[in-house]
């Protein structure tokens, strides 16, 4: 039992932190009405960005299948019959 006494300080700190977080995160602090929040979001989305910023278009990327395929460079189908893997 004496060997576990070194855990006591860290357990006390953890419990104190949990108590503080539960107190700080309780309901009723800084609640905003849903309609007010929707109005603020609408204004923020319609507002023009500051000068000097640019909007980048999203590139359409090919969906990866997870299989690596090497393209054959200039090999015609008849060439495979004469080549051997050995």
């Amino acid at each position: 039992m004496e060997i576990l006494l070194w855990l006591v300080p860290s357990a006390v700190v953890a419990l104190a932190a949990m108590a503080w977080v539960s107190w700080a995160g309780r309901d009723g602090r800084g609640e905003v009405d849903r309609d007010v929040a929707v109005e603020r979001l609408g204004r923020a989305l319609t507002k023009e960005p500051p000068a000097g910023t640019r909007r980048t278009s999203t590139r359409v990327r090919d969906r990866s299948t997870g299989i690596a395929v090497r393209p054959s460079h200039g090999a015609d189908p008849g060439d495979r019959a004469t080549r051997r893997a050995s």
Side-chain angles (χ1 to χ4, degrees):
M1 187 68 177
E2 293 176 7
I3 199 164
L4 295 178
L5 288 178
W6 64 274
L7 286 174
V8 172
S10 60
V12 169
V13 169
L15 289 173
M18 286 189 280
W20 179 78
V21 167
S22 65
W23 176 82
R26 68 187 190 278
D27 288 337
R29 293 180 50 133
E31 275 190 32
V32 178
D33 186 27
R34 184 179 177 92
D35 296 330
V36 174
V38 169
E39 182 181 335
R40 287 182 187 172
L41 178 64
R43 275 188 279 150
L45 290 175
T46 58
K47 186 170 42 169
E48 287 293 320
T53 59
R54 59 185 170 129
R55 293 184 180 176
T56 59
S57 61
T58 57
R59 296 185 336 185
V60 177
R61 295 180 55 172
D62 290 335
R63 191 176 69 107
S64 174
T65 60
I67 300 172
V69 179
R70 294 183 181 170
S72 57
H73 296 287
D76 61 354
D79 193 25
R80 289 188 185 179
T82 59
R83 294 177 48 187
R84 294 201 151 172
S86 59

